[in-house]
Amino acid sequence: MGRTQQFFINGKLYELPIYKAGDRVQLLEAPTIKGTVKEIKNDGLYVHVIWDKFQHPSIKGIGVNWLVSNIQAAK
């Protein structure tokens, strides 16, 4: 990671990171929920994430496709 790309979301310009398959990510609003990027969609605006189910067994229902603006690189 390290590269960024500009996206217009709801009329606002965002400079967001570009992820690739295999990158580890976490949710911005719940940084203890982590996963691995499986696939990139819509030129990098969305990523398909496989969440760590063993760490959070109740993770069902949070979805797998996320806007890049809602996740960050895992620490």
Side-chain angles (χ1 to χ4, degrees):
M1 211 184 66
R3 298 181 331 153
T4 61
Q5 185 171 342
Q6 293 182 341
F7 294 98
F8 276 101
I9 302 172
N10 293 331
K12 191 172 179 184
L13 181 65
Y14 290 88
E15 184 86 20
L16 299 172
I18 297 173
Y19 295 100
K20 64 183 186 311
D23 283 346
R24 295 284 296 158
V25 295
Q26 64 191 35
L27 291 177
L28 282 175
E29 294 182 10
T32 59
I33 298 178
K34 298 178 181 180
T36 303
V37 174
K38 179 180 178 185
E39 184 180 359
I40 310 303
K41 299 181 176 195
N42 292 17
D43 296 324
L45 182 59
Y46 286 90
V47 292
H48 179 117
V49 179
I50 303 298
W51 300 107
D52 298 344
K53 293 180 181 136
F54 297 110
Q55 185 180 4
H56 297 278
S58 64
I59 209 163
K60 291 180 185 177
I62 69 163
V64 294
N65 294 316
W66 284 83
L67 269 171
V68 175
S69 59
N70 294 326
I71 59 174
Q72 66 184 3
K75 296 176 183 173

